[in-house]
Amino acid sequence: MNQIRKSPIQSIGYRFVEPEHLPPGRDEYHIRYRQNPRNGYRRLKAHEIEALVRNNNSSDDWNRVLVSEAFDPGLVRNCKFFGLVRIGRLEPWYREFHNLRMPVGLYDSTIISCDFGDNIVVDNVNYLSHFIIGDDAMIVNVNELSTTGTSKFGNGILKEGEPESSRIWMEVCNENGGRSILPFQGMLPGDAYLWARHRDDEALMERLKGFTEERFDGRRGYYGEVGARTVIKNCKIVKDVRIGTDAYLKGANKIKNVTIESSSEAMSQVGEGCELVNGVIGLGCRVFYGVKAVRFVMASHSQLKYGARLINSYLGNNATISCCEVLNSLIFPFHEQHHNNSFLCAALVMGQSNMAAGATIGSNHNSRANDGELIAGRGFWPGLCVSLKHNSRFATFNIVAKGNYDHELDIPLPFSLVSQDLRRDQLQVMPAYWFLYNLYGLCRNQWKYSRRDQRIEKTQHLENSFLAPDSVNEMMDALPLIERAVGRAQLLKSSDKRAKDPEACRETGRIMLLNDDTAVDALEVVAEGFENGRRRTVLLKVRKAYKAYRSMIRLYALGNLFRTLLAVRPKDFPSAMAAIPFNKVREPWLNVGGQLIPEKEFTRLRQRIGSGLIRDWNGVHAFYGRQALAYSAQRLRHAMACLMELDGVSKRKVDANVLRSWAAQMSETHAWIREGILQSRTKDYANPFRKMAYGSQKEMEKVMGSLKENAFVTDFLSELEALDRKVAASVKAWTRS
């Protein structure tokens, strides 16, 4: 049965914190006074009390209603006051926001132990309890706006005396809770990654839990907050919530145990029909139209819309989820998912990703247990009606073509198209697909991510280029894999016994591929270990893909090299050589929440946390900041190591002719990219099946936009051409004898 207690009417508004949880010599308001240190309140005068009573107001004790000097009792009507209530300036104005015009004051509301800033609007709030309302806020037509003494505002902490079972965990990456993390205000994508991985490092896990506990005050008695200029209208239940300034909440059904960060520079909004429980919403977020979110973190400038469901998940910065369902996932920045019938569950998705309609990425819908996981590198793009089986893993920038994939996949080749030939019963992988057939889409995404990063605090440096240490390392590792597969196919075709020798296969394939031997095109190149099934995995277009990989690795290295030299501005060739780090060892890198970090640095971070040298989350965030500052130099060292490994070049072999040759190679690759971008986009204008929807060329350009006026095409191609001109002129000056 429901336990409904009864207490004396005089106790309403008091005992917010039970006496046993109060520090010695403190009352239940001591934290409230710290949250709102404003002074200058006074008691009501006799004529003001009379005016308030005439206006149908009541209080359990008028001496507990304190006001500022500029207080107009005529602006308080039909209200019931309980406990200590403090009211700022009330002046005869009206406030207007989005055509909502309301007079300043308190009207038709039940108010229990609250503080109000200057010239606020509170109208028809059925139950307003233990909140601090900022200046110029508007709260209209709200059923309940209340706070409990043990509120944690969405953070995964405990208050004094609470059992461990009361703690809110966020079960990311795995449905069985084996990678659970504690949500907290200010959690960055890198924090979530650091915590969700390395579960065998018990010292690290305990320290991260301690960091979160120590970040917040465990004492009871914190009031909810509504920041200055925040507007809340037509909402039902807003409970245990802390809201920043300039937020806008309209028509929400329920918001409970949530922090909503908002500011004048990055305003957050929650719209109609939303139900949000146990979470954190970052700066500049948008949550609209029937969204359901439970145990979640939304990093800054992310969006949930149109009935989306986000449960036990972390959503990275500048990401958008509409309509669909996302469960138990850790999602890095720049994720897009817009379709009502797409489903994402138990996944680590490393950003710049896009989930198409009908894509089903789930764990136990096609497995025996609920402990499966999927890991996808940057640029993951499962296409229409794709169904994947856990466990699966994908390299960076993999696109998966339509179909049901009944077996686990492990695709190590980046920029690949993964598809099925059902007639031949084959899994097919086309390496370097994006380079060969859709440079427009690849380069446009890089261009748009850089321009859509709305973050104000860029503690973590987000890498938006598709040529970066993570993807280039994968391409470097892909080259010997392709060489072995091609060599094995050739040796099997010629019945050569060396087909069982991996090194002989690699050497044979390497010679054929470096010579651009067209005989490779006639081979059926089979890869091993890509699928946990009996059918063959066939690699397509391997000769072109191998060449494209090498060209792009070289472009990555030379682009970093020449951009550095242009910044350093050496006077001559020896000065230029002195600025180049000729590293021989290519290091592994990790994608840590969208920030690329050398693996050895990340390992050092874990060790420093475990040993106590890093003592809190601020120390972790400072590490991200230092890595962001060091990134350009680290990336250059990695780029040169890749170039040394790819071409076998050493410092003593680099002379003026080599530098001129490098500049020419970069310009040649840029020309190939420019041509690829224009070709892949021109198809959309020349394809008769695309044109048939329009009555004329002019109409098509009005609808689609003119290719000549495409902002990306003009900007991106101009940047490449400008870089080539600067490099050519500079190299000429540096190598002048």
Side-chain angles (χ1 to χ4, degrees):
M1 60 183 293
N2 290 340
Q3 298 295 321
I4 300 177
R5 297 181 299 172
K6 64 178 181 179
S7 303
I9 189 67
Q10 295 84 0
S11 65
I12 294 183
Y14 304 98
R15 296 177 68 92
F16 183 60
V17 181
E18 295 297 333
E20 61 268 25
H21 295 295
L22 289 174
R26 300 283 188 173
D27 62 18
E28 64 175 293
Y29 305 123
H30 71 284
I31 292 178
R32 171 183 177 178
Y33 293 152
R34 191 177 68 177
Q35 287 181 270
N36 179 25
R38 175 174 176 171
N39 294 315
Y41 295 107
R42 62 173 177 82
R43 289 188 178 184
L44 291 166
K45 299 175 183 177
H47 74 275
E48 291 173 329
I49 296 175
E50 291 178 5
L52 289 169
V53 173
R54 281 198 305 270
N55 290 338
N56 200 31
N57 299 294
S58 65
S59 172
D60 64 318
D61 183 353
W62 285 114
N63 289 325
R64 306 289 284 174
V65 178
L66 306 180
V67 299
S68 68
E69 275 306 320
F71 172 72
D72 183 347
L75 303 181
V76 181
R77 300 177 184 174
N78 303 318
C79 290
K80 300 175 183 178
F81 296 99
F82 299 92
L84 175 63
V85 177
R86 302 190 294 176
I87 304 172
R89 299 167 64 92
L90 292 182
E91 299 172 300
W93 302 92
Y94 77 85
R95 295 292 186 194
E96 180 176 0
F97 182 81
H98 290 188
N99 295 320
L100 174 67
R101 297 179 178 180
M102 301 295 294
V104 164
L106 309 174
Y107 306 98
D108 301 295
S109 301
T110 297
I111 298 168
I112 301 173
S113 195
C114 292
D115 287 353
F116 299 97
D118 293 337
N119 292 315
I120 51 87
V121 174
V122 173
D123 195 316
N124 194 32
V125 181
N126 295 338
Y127 187 79
L128 174 52
S129 169
H130 298 93
F131 256 87
I132 298 172
I133 313 297
D135 296 343
D136 304 315
M138 299 177 67
I139 306 174
V140 180
N141 297 336
V142 175
N143 287 0
E144 178 183 349
L145 184 64
S146 66
T147 307
T148 60
T150 57
S151 178
K152 294 165 279 289
F153 308 109
N155 298 297
I157 61 172
L158 295 176
K159 291 296 184 175
E160 292 176 348
E162 287 191 308
E164 184 63 33
S165 59
S166 297
R167 192 187 299 275
I168 299 298
W169 290 87
M170 191 164 63
E171 299 173 358
V172 299
C173 297
N174 196 302
E175 286 184 276
N176 71 359
R179 297 192 185 276
S180 295
I181 63 179
L182 296 176
F184 63 87
Q185 184 180 356
M187 175 179 259
L188 298 176
D191 303 336
Y193 175 84
L194 171 65
W195 202 337
R197 310 299 296 177
H198 314 293
R199 307 305 284 198
D200 55 331
D201 190 339
E202 296 181 4
L204 176 67
M205 297 297 106
E206 284 301 312
R207 292 294 295 152
L208 297 182
K209 182 179 178 182
F211 287 177
T212 307
E213 282 284 0
E214 294 161 10
R215 191 176 179 88
F216 302 95
D217 190 346
R219 293 176 296 175
R220 302 183 181 213
Y222 277 86
Y223 279 39
E225 297 179 12
V226 174
R229 300 174 302 281
T230 284
V231 177
I232 305 175
K233 71 174 186 180
N234 303 329
C235 294
K236 294 181 179 178
I237 299 173
V238 181
K239 185 174 183 179
D240 291 345
V241 175
R242 180 178 288 155
I243 307 170
T245 69
D246 303 280
Y248 184 27
L249 282 61
K250 56 174 181 176
N253 288 342
K254 183 176 184 178
I255 307 176
K256 181 180 179 182
N257 191 33
V258 172
T259 289
I260 302 175
E261 294 184 285
S262 184
S263 72
S264 58
E265 296 177 300
M267 298 172 284
S268 293
Q269 297 185 17
V270 178
E272 294 84 349
C274 294
E275 296 171 9
L276 315 174
V277 180
N278 300 333
V280 177
I281 297 174
L283 289 170
C285 288
R286 302 288 188 270
V287 185
F288 289 126
Y289 307 131
V291 163
K292 316 297 181 187
V294 181
R295 300 192 182 214
F296 68 98
V297 172
M298 294 176 63
S300 68
H301 299 93
S302 56
Q303 299 186 66
L304 291 177
K305 302 186 291 186
Y306 310 127
R309 284 168 287 177
L310 183 72
I311 301 172
N312 272 310
S313 296
Y314 183 101
L315 180 63
N317 311 84
N318 304 296
T320 300
I321 292 179
S322 302
C323 308
C324 54
E325 184 172 11
V326 176
L327 310 171
N328 304 97
S329 294
L330 170 52
I331 302 171
F332 290 179
F334 296 112
H335 175 79
E336 301 287 331
Q337 191 169 349
H338 296 284
H339 307 284
N340 196 42
N341 52 349
S342 61
F343 174 73
L344 179 63
C345 182
L348 169 59
V349 182
M350 296 188 177
Q352 300 169 30
S353 39
N354 197 314
M355 290 275 295
T360 303
I361 314 302
S363 64
N364 65 354
H365 76 284
N366 56 9
S367 304
R368 288 187 295 272
N370 66 338
D371 55 0
E373 299 182 22
L374 179 139
I375 301 173
R378 285 192 301 140
F380 181 55
W381 195 324
L384 294 170
C385 300
V386 163
S387 178
L388 296 174
K389 182 180 178 67
H390 289 50
N391 293 346
S392 286
R393 181 172 58 181
F394 297 88
T396 55
F397 297 95
N398 273 191
I399 183 170
V400 185
K402 177 179 179 179
N404 295 324
Y405 294 81
D406 296 330
H407 303 284
E408 299 91 332
L409 299 176
D410 188 3
I411 311 297
L413 303 178
F415 303 98
S416 292
L417 170 64
V418 181
S419 61
Q420 300 183 100
D421 186 334
L422 298 179
R423 184 173 65 85
R424 294 187 176 93
D425 192 27
Q426 294 177 351
L427 178 70
Q428 297 181 335
V429 179
M430 187 187 299
Y433 163 81
W434 285 100
F435 300 147
L436 299 175
Y437 297 105
N438 197 359
L439 272 170
Y440 174 86
L442 188 64
C443 295
R444 182 181 178 276
N445 282 344
Q446 173 181 312
W447 175 82
K448 77 177 183 181
Y449 293 141
S450 299
R451 284 155 178 77
R452 293 181 182 179
D453 189 355
Q454 302 178 61
R455 294 175 301 152
I456 296 174
E457 295 183 2
K458 298 184 179 181
T459 304
Q460 290 202 262
H461 172 78
L462 301 182
E463 177 58 86
N464 297 316
S465 174
F466 58 84
L467 295 179
D470 58 341
S471 58
V472 172
N473 269 347
E474 289 176 345
M475 284 193 283
M476 291 292 296
D477 294 339
L479 295 178
L481 190 156
I482 293 174
E483 291 164 358
R484 280 192 292 270
V486 169
R488 184 171 183 271
Q490 175 63 23
L491 294 176
L492 285 174
K493 183 178 180 180
S494 58
S495 301
D496 193 316
K497 295 181 180 179
R498 294 180 300 158
K500 295 182 179 180
D501 182 353
E503 287 305 314
C505 291
R506 181 181 178 185
E507 183 61 25
T508 301
R510 179 177 172 80
I511 292 171
M512 295 183 72
L513 290 165
L514 287 178
N515 292 331
D516 202 20
D517 191 339
T518 55
V520 173
D521 298 342
L523 298 174
E524 183 181 60
V525 181
V526 177
E528 297 179 347
F530 282 37
E531 184 179 47
N532 187 24
R534 295 181 180 178
R535 64 180 178 176
R536 290 178 299 173
T537 299
V538 178
L539 303 184
L540 307 176
K541 309 281 186 180
V542 290
R543 181 172 62 89
K544 291 183 178 179
Y546 185 85
K547 185 177 181 180
Y549 276 163
R550 291 182 62 87
S551 294
M552 286 302 188
I553 293 168
R554 193 174 291 111
L555 177 62
Y556 161 74
L558 298 179
N560 278 281
L561 167 65
F562 284 117
R563 285 184 174 89
T564 299
L565 292 179
L566 290 175
V568 173
R569 301 175 67 180
K571 296 180 180 180
D572 51 25
F573 181 75
S575 300
M577 290 299 96
I580 302 174
F582 286 89
N583 284 46
K584 295 182 179 180
V585 179
R586 174 172 59 92
E587 295 181 340
W589 286 60
L590 296 174
N591 183 345
V592 182
Q595 180 175 6
L596 303 184
I597 297 175
E599 186 177 58
K600 67 177 183 181
E601 297 294 338
F602 189 69
T603 300
R604 188 174 294 122
L605 167 68
R606 292 170 47 205
Q607 292 170 345
R608 288 170 63 84
I609 292 172
S611 66
L613 291 176
I614 292 179
R615 301 181 178 181
D616 52 29
W617 283 115
N618 290 336
V620 177
H621 296 173
F623 165 81
Y624 299 147
R626 291 192 298 272
Q627 287 300 304
L629 294 175
Y631 179 61
S632 294
Q634 293 170 340
R635 182 179 55 191
L636 177 61
R637 290 195 295 270
H638 176 266
M640 294 308 298
C642 290
L643 188 61
M644 302 300 102
E645 182 179 338
L646 185 72
D647 292 337
V649 180
S650 62
K651 183 176 183 179
R652 61 184 177 82
K653 294 181 180 180
V654 178
D655 56 18
N657 289 330
V658 171
L659 196 64
R660 283 191 287 265
S661 173
W662 282 349
Q665 289 176 31
M666 186 177 74
S667 179
E668 181 181 344
T669 306
H670 281 167
W672 176 67
I673 289 175
R674 288 194 293 270
E675 182 181 359
I677 289 172
L678 292 173
Q679 282 184 351
S680 55
R681 184 55 174 163
T682 300
K683 292 177 184 177
D684 295 330
Y685 290 84
N687 187 332
F689 287 89
R690 294 293 298 271
K691 296 175 70 173
M692 69 182 177
Y694 309 102
S696 65
Q697 181 75 17
K698 184 176 180 180
E699 182 187 357
M700 183 177 70
E701 291 186 355
K702 286 290 185 181
V703 175
M704 294 178 58
S706 169
L707 182 58
K708 295 179 180 179
E709 297 174 355
N710 185 301
F712 155 68
V713 172
T714 55
D715 289 356
F716 193 81
L717 299 190
S718 296
E719 290 173 7
L720 295 184
E721 292 169 355
L723 178 60
D724 288 340
R725 288 194 301 269
K726 289 180 181 178
V727 169
S730 298
V731 169
K732 184 177 181 180
W734 298 331
T735 58
R736 186 183 293 117
S737 57

